[in-house]
Amino acid sequence: MPLSRLRQDRIWAEGSAIDDTLTPSDHDANAVDLSDTVDFLASQLADILGEPNWHDAPDLSIASMAAKTWLEDYKALRDFLHLGADITVPNVVTGTGDTIGGTAPTMTLTDSAATFTADMVGRNITITGATTPANNGTFPIVGFTSSSVISYTNASGVAEAFAGDWSVAGANWVVLVQASSETPSRNIATVGTTSGAVAAELGAGLFNSNQLTEVAGSNALNPENLCIVMDASTGDPITSSNRQVYALLQVEDGATDGAAFDDSTNQGQLSFVRPNATYDDLEACPVADIQGQSIIYAYADREALSGWAASDWRRSSVLVDLAAAGVSQTLDIAYNGGSVVTVDDTNVDWQLTDTKHFYVSDSTGAARILDVHAEAAGDELEVNAPGGITINGGDISAASNKATFNGTEIGGAAGRVASTSGDLDLRGADDITFVTVRETTPLPLDDATTGPISALTGGPHASVAAAIEYAIGQGMTFSLGVTVLASNYGQDVNVPGGAGGLDLSGSHSIDMNTPSGVDTFVFLNGRLQYGGNGTTQNDVYAGDTPASGDIKFDHPGGVKTGDIIIALQLGPA
């Protein structure tokens, strides 16, 4: 019979149990009597506090409620509520017959009722009532052919006409279909510096199943890819054993960080989780507590402040005022999208270790315009400017407008390069060339054919001026050697000192087979001889000791006593 308010103190005193497991739909509007109302309030209290039993709750305070249920996080994440289509978590599907086909281990089930769906892949099918005992059991679904045919794995399966029952299990995960507007509108953010929907990348072969893969957050109960899950109709939390159900946003193996979600290589899924019984980690939500639910979800969004719209700055739940004295902030957050930094009180000192660089790069980050780094052996400044470098210091012809680099001045006068002290050293890895309004073709200081200035004839020269002075002072001189033979010498017999003792070695030559090298001429009794060498002797050629002026004659009769040999050698003054 109905309870009387006059007797309620006695009824509760006698230990009437309070039911604290009612779902949010069992609201006060459905209450029949006071016990129903109390049961509802106890159930709501257990849900809010996250305790298995309402009477196990700690002393009640707003702070303790927030600590147990992450109310502030819940409010903050609702700013990123997914506004796409409602999502239905796969539910149990049952049917009867008609045919088991295929060849073990890959079997097929055909059902003319056409109740199969693509999201059954990855779930288990249970078959009962088959004629062949090996066909009965629970097996993983591996393929979807059509609404009438699926494939599954049974290593002992046998084809048969099937009139028994089958049941496809529900799921505690759901694959998000981009074509049905189930995926986040923001791009995938698997890397900590990427803006977008925070998601964890699954390992190979783990997609389309419930996984606990996380992006680490502030604690084990609050990973960054944690999503708030709500009933699509009421917006209320969904609970499992009085614990709130959440989801982990995940993407398949190989998904591209920063890419948009899609239905191929960048597909996403929600793995449903709940806090464990000791509230120190997350665990998979039981299938029975989430299957068939119609849900909406709110995902964690990582975004740079410079990308916020005006409305984003009104998110009082996620913004903290850091204007108070003594509170520091990173430069990246403090200066993002600004145009001016004013230094008021103290110098700016950027201190770099010898492994770090300070870069100024182009808008793409590919080209480094300025590179400052402290090498172990000393500081170094590197400037990369393919388009040239312009130093604007006013009129460079003015003595005060010049740039100085380690004692070398540029400017101070038009076209001026000078050293502040000591020598000015210009060095080229190859040639140094000169171009003027008259010498329009680059003129090198030296070249590979002539060789360096210091090694020109008459060198080594200590300077360009010394080489020029040597060239100016050069004229032509000659040496004369005379020999009167005191005995006879046969054909090709060495005549010692026959060239009057003139040196015929080194750069000196009488070989007219190579005319350009000849500087010595030999006359026999007043007749110029045709000079040769040891191979092509001609009239005369160098003898055994050319440095002593030895010569040989190739005349058939040789030379005789009293013959006169005159040698004339030309050379620089």
Side-chain angles (χ1 to χ4, degrees):
M1 73 180 195
L3 296 177
S4 168
R5 293 182 183 272
L6 296 175
R7 300 181 59 202
Q8 67 184 23
D9 57 338
R10 182 181 178 211
I11 293 173
W12 300 124
E14 291 179 350
S16 298
I18 296 177
D19 184 356
D20 60 2
T21 62
L22 303 181
T23 62
S25 59
D26 296 316
H27 48 75
D28 190 45
N30 296 326
V32 175
D33 49 36
L34 182 60
S35 66
D36 294 332
T37 301
V38 173
D39 287 345
F40 168 73
L41 292 175
S43 298
Q44 292 294 85
L45 183 61
D47 284 344
I48 292 173
L49 296 177
E51 296 289 349
N53 301 299
W54 73 275
H55 51 76
D56 291 334
D59 293 340
L60 183 62
S61 68
I62 295 299
S64 65
M65 291 170 65
K68 292 295 288 184
T69 61
W70 308 283
L71 291 179
E72 288 304 311
D73 289 343
Y74 183 86
K75 289 169 58 183
L77 284 171
R78 286 187 66 95
D79 288 330
F80 311 108
L81 179 64
H82 172 67
L83 298 179
D86 295 350
I87 299 170
T88 300
V89 183
N91 203 354
V92 175
V93 180
T94 61
T96 303
D98 297 309
T99 304
I100 294 177
T103 302
T106 303
M107 308 301 293
T108 62
L109 177 64
T110 301
D111 184 358
S112 59
T115 55
F116 297 139
T117 56
D119 64 4
M120 290 180 176
V121 176
R123 294 151 64 186
N124 290 329
I125 183 169
T126 300
I127 296 175
T128 59
T131 301
T132 305
N135 285 338
N136 295 317
T138 299
F139 313 103
I141 300 174
V142 295
F144 170 80
T145 302
S146 68
S147 60
S148 300
V149 181
I150 58 172
S151 56
Y152 62 93
T153 300
N154 180 359
S156 302
V158 178
E160 67 171 58
F162 175 60
D165 299 323
W166 57 264
S167 173
V168 175
N172 55 359
W173 77 92
V174 61
V175 174
L176 302 176
V177 180
Q178 189 275 334
S180 301
S181 301
E182 295 177 352
T183 57
S185 58
R186 296 277 286 157
N187 288 351
I188 299 169
T190 55
V191 177
T193 56
T194 302
S195 297
V198 181
E201 181 179 352
L202 296 172
L206 300 182
F207 190 72
N208 199 16
S209 62
N210 185 286
Q211 299 295 326
L212 297 179
T213 308
E214 302 174 346
V215 177
S218 58
N219 55 60
L221 289 171
N222 193 28
E224 289 193 20
N225 60 324
L226 188 69
C227 298
I228 299 298
V229 177
M230 293 155 279
D231 185 286
S233 299
T234 66
D236 290 327
I238 298 172
T239 60
S240 170
S241 298
N242 289 328
R243 286 170 268 170
Q244 186 167 339
V245 175
Y246 300 90
L248 296 173
L249 180 60
Q250 299 157 338
V251 290
E252 58 186 310
D253 174 48
T256 302
D257 178 63
F261 286 87
D262 58 35
D263 294 328
S264 56
T265 58
N266 296 303
Q267 196 160 23
Q269 73 172 31
L270 295 176
S271 290
F272 296 100
V273 295
R274 68 182 185 182
N276 62 14
T278 55
Y279 277 83
D280 56 14
D281 206 347
L282 297 175
E283 64 182 16
C285 175
V287 173
D289 291 345
I290 192 64
Q291 64 184 7
Q293 293 272 12
S294 180
I295 62 119
I296 55 176
Y297 67 98
Y299 59 88
D301 180 64
R302 184 188 298 118
E303 187 171 0
L305 294 183
S306 59
W308 278 23
S311 59
D312 294 321
W313 292 97
R314 293 192 291 272
R315 298 174 183 168
S316 59
S317 60
V318 295
L319 289 179
V320 178
D321 184 5
L322 295 182
V327 178
S328 61
Q329 187 55 278
T330 64
L331 180 62
D332 181 60
I333 296 176
Y335 181 73
N336 194 342
S339 58
V340 176
V341 174
T342 302
V343 179
D344 298 314
D345 301 323
T346 60
N347 294 328
V348 176
D349 183 5
W350 287 331
Q351 299 182 0
L352 304 175
T353 67
D354 59 10
T355 62
K356 302 301 179 183
H357 294 237
F358 177 83
Y359 298 131
V360 176
S361 304
D362 66 1
S363 59
T364 67
R368 290 172 181 165
I369 301 170
L370 179 67
D371 179 356
V372 180
H373 50 104
E375 299 291 350
D379 296 339
E380 180 176 334
L381 171 65
E382 178 181 329
V383 179
N384 301 305
I389 299 175
T390 300
I391 299 177
N392 295 316
D395 182 2
I396 64 169
S397 63
S400 60
N401 293 331
K402 56 191 176 185
T404 302
F405 303 93
N406 288 338
T408 300
E409 295 179 347
I410 299 177
R416 176 179 176 271
V417 178
S419 62
T420 57
S421 63
D423 296 334
L424 180 63
D425 185 359
L426 299 178
R427 301 191 180 199
D430 196 346
D431 293 331
I432 295 179
T433 60
F434 299 91
V435 178
T436 68
V437 293
R438 291 166 295 280
E439 191 64 58
T440 56
T441 300
L443 181 67
L445 183 62
D446 52 27
D447 60 74
T449 301
T450 305
I453 293 173
S454 61
L456 293 177
T457 302
H461 301 290
S463 66
V464 175
I468 295 173
E469 182 181 27
Y470 174 80
I472 293 173
Q474 295 306 297
M476 185 62 66
T477 185
F478 65 90
S479 300
L480 186 66
V482 179
T483 301
V484 178
L485 296 180
S487 59
N488 298 329
Y489 294 90
Q491 183 180 8
D492 298 322
V493 175
N494 186 64
V495 179
L502 297 181
D503 184 2
L504 301 179
S505 65
S507 61
H508 301 295
S509 173
I510 63 174
D511 183 9
M512 293 184 181
N513 293 305
T514 308
S516 62
V518 175
D519 67 345
T520 305
F521 303 91
V522 177
F523 297 83
L524 177 61
N525 296 326
R527 180 176 175 272
L528 178 62
Q529 302 294 289
Y530 183 27
N533 56 51
T535 301
T536 306
Q537 292 89 354
N538 297 333
D539 291 337
V540 66
Y541 59 97
D544 294 342
T545 309
S548 300
D550 292 1
I551 56 177
K552 295 179 181 180
F553 289 89
D554 197 35
H555 299 304
V559 290
K560 307 298 180 180
T561 300
D563 285 347
I564 299 173
I565 302 172
I566 299 174
L568 177 64
Q569 190 171 77
L570 305 177

